[in-house]
Amino acid sequence: MKGKKNNIILIGFMGSGKSTVGIRLSYRLRRVVEDTDKMIEKRMKKSIAEIFATEGEEYFRTLETKMLREAIKKKRYQIISVGGGTPIRVENRKLLKRLGTVIYLRVQATTVYERIKRDTSRPLLQTEKPLERIMELLDKRKEAYENCADIIIDVDQLPMKEVVELIANKLEERGVK
Ligand code: S3P
């Protein structure tokens, strides 16, 4: 793609392991890692849950787009993990593709549920029936994730260490340094 940058972008549903994989990959590849959720929290001096509660989801989505726009301007190439809902906006999918090689950590609903069932930091999953909500959101987002992915990794059966190795190998095959 014209003007595509050399960043490594991690996308995937909540609980797919983006943040953990990002940190491990940064050690493995000796690259700086950033997480757009953390960038937003730092900028707003509020947690994601507070932003959802006070400003609402659309406002949060606009902040996600802003973070991607800022990342595109940076000269230093890095690893960037983004929030699970970032690819739902068409504009964000275009930005993600321009930013670099997009790696989709694909995960099944039951795995997500097991990983996040005691977590209260994700506003979209604070419902009576989180598993149903996960299934519904995954189904809605599936196409968006697949549409912007250069590499897809099915993470359910893999320890994080193997996910990182697999990504490093696939990036090497593609000549991403
Ligand atoms: C969201 C995922 C969260 C966070 C926000 C919304 C989503 O990030 O951005 O709660 O819409 O899937 P993680 O995927 O890092 O949990």
Side-chain angles (χ1 to χ4, degrees):
M1 179 182 278
K2 190 170 167 267
K4 189 169 173 105
K5 297 208 168 188
N6 211 7
N7 296 292
I8 297 164
I9 323 296
L10 295 165
I11 66 163
F13 200 75
M14 292 172 263
S16 58
K18 299 176 299 275
S19 307
T20 312
V21 168
I23 292 165
R24 289 189 178 215
L25 203 57
S26 89
Y27 286 120
R28 174 75 168 72
L29 303 178
R30 294 172 202 282
R31 281 218 208 181
V32 175
V33 64
E34 291 219 54
D35 182 292
T36 53
D37 277 351
K38 294 206 179 86
M39 288 162 69
I40 290 172
E41 288 183 327
K42 207 168 150 193
R43 186 78 53 94
M44 299 295 292
K45 299 187 178 65
K46 279 183 189 174
S47 69
I48 302 289
E50 281 170 320
I51 300 170
F52 265 73
T54 54
E55 269 85 19
E57 182 174 350
E58 275 315 296
Y59 183 83
F60 172 74
R61 299 294 171 207
T62 302
L63 291 174
E64 289 187 305
T65 306
K66 197 166 173 216
M67 294 305 126
L68 298 182
R69 291 206 171 281
E70 288 183 13
I72 280 196
K73 290 193 197 126
K74 286 194 181 158
K75 296 229 162 55
R76 187 175 183 194
Y77 293 142
Q78 52 193 356
I79 299 166
I80 306 168
S81 56
V82 302
T86 305
I88 58 185
R89 277 197 179 181
V90 180
E91 182 184 6
N92 291 356
R93 295 207 283 280
K94 288 185 188 152
L95 289 168
L96 289 168
K97 284 182 193 174
R98 270 177 59 201
L99 258 177
T101 304
V102 180
I103 301 164
Y104 169 28
L105 303 184
R106 187 161 58 190
V107 69
Q108 287 173 14
T110 45
T111 307
V112 174
Y113 179 69
E114 282 310 313
R115 289 180 182 177
I116 57 88
K117 64 185 172 194
R118 284 180 202 90
D119 184 303
T120 54
S121 69
R122 291 172 168 108
L124 293 179
L125 301 180
Q126 305 313 303
T127 74
E128 292 271 298
K129 295 183 172 172
L131 180 59
E132 277 84 342
R133 181 90 175 112
I134 293 165
M135 286 160 71
E136 179 194 315
L137 283 175
L138 260 179
D139 199 49
K140 254 198 222 157
R141 295 176 174 183
K142 189 177 174 289
E143 234 179 276
Y145 289 140
E146 287 175 5
N147 170 282
C148 58
D150 294 300
I151 296 169
I152 300 179
I153 313 272
D154 287 301
V155 298
D156 301 270
Q157 311 296 331
L158 296 176
M160 290 293 175
K161 202 171 157 220
E162 279 183 41
V163 174
V164 172
E165 277 316 299
L166 206 55
I167 293 173
N169 292 341
K170 287 191 186 274
L171 289 171
E172 206 178 314
E173 274 168 30
R174 299 169 72 98
V176 178
K177 285 187 203 90

Coordinates of all heavy atoms in Angstrom, one line a residue, residues 11-19 35-38 40-41 48-49 52 57 60-61 64 81-88 116 119 121-125 137 141 145, ligand 1:
I11 N -4.2 -6.0 16.6 CA -5.7 -5.8 16.7 C -6.3 -7.1 17.2 O -5.7 -8.2 17.1 CB -6.4 -5.3 15.4 CG1 -6.3 -6.5 14.4 CG2 -5.8 -4.1 14.9 CD1 -7.3 -6.3 13.2
G12 N -7.5 -7.0 17.7 CA -8.2 -8.2 18.2 C -9.2 -7.9 19.3 O -9.1 -6.8 19.8
F13 N -10.1 -8.8 19.6 CA -11.1 -8.6 20.5 C -10.5 -8.4 21.9 O -9.4 -8.8 22.2 CB -12.1 -9.8 20.5 CG -13.4 -9.5 21.1 CD1 -14.4 -8.7 20.4 CD2 -13.8 -9.9 22.4 CE1 -15.6 -8.4 21.0 CE2 -15.0 -9.6 23.0 CZ -15.9 -8.9 22.2
M14 N -11.3 -7.9 22.8 CA -10.9 -7.8 24.2 C -10.5 -9.1 24.7 O -11.1 -10.1 24.4 CB -12.1 -7.3 25.1 CG -12.5 -5.9 24.8 SD -14.1 -5.4 25.7 CE -15.3 -5.7 24.4
G15 N -9.4 -9.2 25.5 CA -9.0 -10.5 26.0 C -8.2 -11.3 25.0 O -7.9 -12.5 25.3
S16 N -7.9 -10.8 23.8 CA -7.2 -11.7 22.9 C -5.7 -11.7 23.2 O -4.9 -12.5 22.6 CB -7.4 -11.2 21.4 OG -7.0 -9.8 21.3
G17 N -5.2 -10.8 24.1 CA -3.8 -10.8 24.5 C -3.0 -9.7 23.8 O -1.8 -9.7 23.9
K18 N -3.6 -8.7 23.2 CA -2.9 -7.7 22.5 C -1.8 -7.0 23.3 O -0.7 -6.8 22.9 CB -3.8 -6.6 21.9 CG -4.9 -7.1 21.0 CD -5.8 -6.0 20.6 CE -6.6 -5.4 21.7 NZ -7.8 -6.0 22.2
S19 N -2.2 -6.5 24.5 CA -1.3 -5.8 25.4 C -0.1 -6.6 25.8 O 1.1 -6.2 25.7 CB -2.0 -5.2 26.6 OG -3.1 -4.5 26.2
D35 N 0.3 1.5 23.5 CA -1.1 1.0 23.6 C -2.0 2.2 23.5 O -1.9 3.1 24.4 CB -1.2 0.2 24.9 CG -2.5 -0.5 25.1 OD1 -3.5 0.3 25.3 OD2 -2.5 -1.7 25.1
T36 N -2.9 2.2 22.5 CA -3.7 3.4 22.4 C -4.7 3.6 23.5 O -5.0 4.8 23.9 CB -4.5 3.3 21.0 OG1 -5.3 2.1 21.0 CG2 -3.6 3.4 19.8
D37 N -5.2 2.5 24.2 CA -6.0 2.7 25.4 C -5.2 3.5 26.5 O -5.8 4.4 27.1 CB -6.4 1.4 26.0 CG -7.7 0.8 25.3 OD1 -8.3 1.5 24.4 OD2 -8.0 -0.4 25.5
K38 N -4.0 3.1 26.7 CA -3.2 3.7 27.7 C -2.9 5.2 27.3 O -2.8 6.1 28.2 CB -1.9 2.9 27.9 CG -2.1 1.6 28.5 CD -0.9 1.1 29.3 CE -1.3 -0.3 29.9 NZ -1.0 -1.4 28.9
I40 N -4.8 7.1 25.6 CA -6.0 7.8 25.8 C -6.2 8.1 27.3 O -6.5 9.3 27.7 CB -7.3 7.1 25.3 CG1 -7.2 7.1 23.7 CG2 -8.6 7.7 25.8 CD1 -8.2 6.2 23.1
E41 N -6.0 7.1 28.2 CA -6.1 7.3 29.6 C -5.2 8.4 30.1 O -5.5 9.2 31.0 CB -5.9 6.0 30.3 CG -7.0 5.0 30.1 CD -6.9 3.7 30.9 OE1 -5.8 3.3 31.1 OE2 -7.9 3.2 31.3
I48 N -10.6 4.3 31.0 CA -11.5 4.0 29.9 C -13.0 4.0 30.4 O -13.9 4.5 29.8 CB -11.2 2.7 29.1 CG1 -9.7 2.7 28.6 CG2 -12.1 2.4 28.0 CD1 -9.4 3.6 27.5
A49 N -13.1 3.3 31.5 CA -14.5 3.1 32.1 C -15.1 4.5 32.4 O -16.3 4.8 32.1 CB -14.5 2.2 33.3
F52 N -16.1 6.3 29.2 CA -17.4 5.8 28.6 C -18.5 6.3 29.5 O -19.6 6.7 28.9 CB -17.4 4.2 28.7 CG -16.9 3.5 27.5 CD1 -15.6 3.5 27.1 CD2 -17.9 2.9 26.7 CE1 -15.2 2.9 25.9 CE2 -17.5 2.2 25.5 CZ -16.1 2.2 25.1
E57 N -19.5 6.4 24.5 CA -18.7 5.6 23.6 C -18.2 6.3 22.3 O -17.0 6.2 21.9 CB -19.4 4.3 23.2 CG -18.6 3.4 22.3 CD -19.2 2.1 21.9 OE1 -20.2 1.7 22.5 OE2 -18.6 1.4 21.1
F60 N -15.2 8.3 22.9 CA -14.1 7.5 23.1 C -13.5 7.0 21.7 O -12.3 7.0 21.4 CB -14.4 6.3 23.9 CG -13.3 5.2 24.0 CD1 -12.2 5.4 24.7 CD2 -13.5 4.0 23.2 CE1 -11.1 4.5 24.7 CE2 -12.4 3.1 23.3 CZ -11.3 3.3 24.0
R61 N -14.5 6.7 20.8 CA -14.1 6.2 19.4 C -13.4 7.3 18.7 O -12.4 7.1 17.9 CB -15.3 5.8 18.6 CG -16.1 4.6 19.2 CD -15.3 3.3 19.2 NE -15.9 2.3 20.0 CZ -15.3 1.3 20.6 NH1 -14.0 1.2 20.5 NH2 -15.9 0.4 21.2
E64 N -9.9 7.4 19.8 CA -9.1 6.3 19.2 C -8.6 6.8 17.8 O -7.4 6.6 17.5 CB -10.0 5.0 19.0 CG -10.3 4.3 20.3 CD -11.0 3.0 20.1 OE1 -12.1 3.0 19.4 OE2 -10.6 2.0 20.6
S81 N -0.5 -1.6 20.1 CA -1.7 -2.4 20.3 C -2.8 -1.4 20.5 O -2.7 -0.3 21.1 CB -1.5 -3.3 21.5 OG -1.2 -2.6 22.7
V82 N -4.0 -1.8 19.9 CA -5.1 -0.9 19.9 C -6.3 -1.5 20.6 O -6.3 -2.8 20.8 CB -5.6 -0.4 18.5 CG1 -4.4 0.3 17.8 CG2 -6.1 -1.6 17.6
G83 N -7.3 -0.7 21.0 CA -8.5 -1.3 21.7 C -9.2 -2.2 20.8 O -9.2 -2.1 19.6
G84 N -10.0 -3.1 21.4 CA -10.7 -4.1 20.6 C -11.7 -3.6 19.6 O -12.0 -4.2 18.6
G85 N -12.2 -2.3 19.9 CA -13.2 -1.8 19.0 C -12.7 -0.9 17.9 O -13.4 -0.4 17.1
T86 N -11.4 -0.6 18.0 CA -10.8 0.4 17.0 C -11.1 0.1 15.5 O -11.5 1.0 14.8 CB -9.3 0.4 17.2 OG1 -9.0 0.7 18.6 CG2 -8.6 1.5 16.3
P87 N -11.1 -1.2 15.1 CA -11.3 -1.4 13.7 C -12.8 -1.3 13.2 O -13.1 -1.4 12.1 CB -10.8 -2.9 13.5 CG -10.0 -3.2 14.6 CD -10.6 -2.4 15.7
I88 N -13.7 -1.0 14.2 CA -15.1 -1.0 13.7 C -15.4 0.3 12.9 O -16.3 0.3 12.1 CB -16.1 -1.1 14.9 CG1 -15.9 0.0 16.0 CG2 -16.1 -2.5 15.5 CD1 -16.9 -0.2 17.2
I116 N -11.8 -12.9 30.9 CA -12.2 -11.5 31.4 C -13.4 -11.6 32.4 O -13.9 -10.5 32.8 CB -12.6 -10.6 30.3 CG1 -13.6 -11.1 29.3 CG2 -11.3 -10.2 29.4 CD1 -15.0 -10.8 29.7
D119 N -13.2 -9.4 35.3 CA -12.7 -8.0 35.0 C -13.8 -7.0 35.0 O -14.8 -7.2 34.3 CB -12.0 -8.1 33.6 CG -11.3 -6.8 33.3 OD1 -11.9 -5.8 33.2 OD2 -10.1 -6.9 33.0
S121 N -13.1 -3.7 34.2 CA -12.5 -2.5 33.6 C -13.1 -2.3 32.2 O -12.8 -1.2 31.5 CB -11.0 -2.5 33.5 OG -10.6 -3.5 32.7
R122 N -13.8 -3.2 31.6 CA -14.3 -3.1 30.3 C -15.8 -2.8 30.2 O -16.6 -3.7 30.4 CB -14.0 -4.4 29.5 CG -12.4 -4.5 29.3 CD -12.1 -5.9 28.7 NE -10.8 -5.9 28.2 CZ -9.8 -6.6 28.9 NH1 -10.1 -7.3 30.0 NH2 -8.6 -6.7 28.4
P123 N -16.1 -1.5 30.0 CA -17.6 -1.1 30.1 C -18.5 -1.9 29.2 O -19.6 -2.2 29.6 CB -17.5 0.3 29.7 CG -16.2 0.6 29.2 CD -15.3 -0.4 29.7
L124 N -18.1 -2.3 28.1 CA -19.0 -3.0 27.1 C -19.4 -4.4 27.6 O -20.3 -5.0 27.1 CB -18.4 -3.1 25.7 CG -18.2 -1.8 25.0 CD1 -17.5 -2.0 23.6 CD2 -19.5 -1.1 24.8
L125 N -18.6 -4.9 28.6 CA -18.9 -6.3 29.0 C -19.5 -6.4 30.4 O -19.7 -7.4 31.0 CB -17.7 -7.2 28.9 CG -17.0 -7.3 27.6 CD1 -15.8 -8.2 27.6 CD2 -18.0 -7.8 26.5
L137 N -20.8 -9.3 19.9 CA -19.8 -8.3 19.4 C -18.8 -8.9 18.4 O -18.5 -8.3 17.4 CB -19.1 -7.7 20.6 CG -19.9 -6.6 21.4 CD1 -19.0 -6.2 22.6 CD2 -20.2 -5.4 20.5
R141 N -18.1 -7.8 14.6 CA -16.8 -7.2 14.3 C -15.9 -8.1 13.4 O -14.9 -7.6 12.9 CB -16.0 -6.9 15.6 CG -16.7 -5.9 16.4 CD -15.9 -5.8 17.7 NE -16.4 -4.7 18.5 CZ -15.9 -4.3 19.7 NH1 -14.9 -4.9 20.2 NH2 -16.4 -3.3 20.4
Y145 N -12.3 -6.9 11.5 CA -11.0 -7.4 11.9 C -10.3 -8.1 10.7 O -9.1 -7.8 10.4 CB -11.1 -8.5 13.0 CG -11.5 -8.0 14.4 CD1 -12.4 -8.7 15.2 CD2 -11.0 -6.8 14.9 CE1 -12.7 -8.3 16.5 CE2 -11.4 -6.3 16.2 CZ -12.2 -7.1 17.0 OH -12.6 -6.7 18.2
Ligands
S3P1 C1 -13.1 -2.0 23.7 C2 -12.0 -2.6 24.1 C3 -11.1 -2.2 25.2 C4 -11.2 -0.6 25.3 C5 -12.7 -0.3 25.5 C6 -13.6 -0.7 24.3 C7 -14.0 -2.6 22.7 O1 -9.7 -2.5 24.9 O2 -10.7 0.0 24.2 O3 -13.1 -0.9 26.7 O4 -14.8 -1.9 22.1 O5 -13.7 -3.8 22.3 P1 -9.1 -4.0 25.0 O6 -9.4 -4.7 23.7 O7 -7.6 -3.7 25.2 O8 -9.7 -4.6 26.2

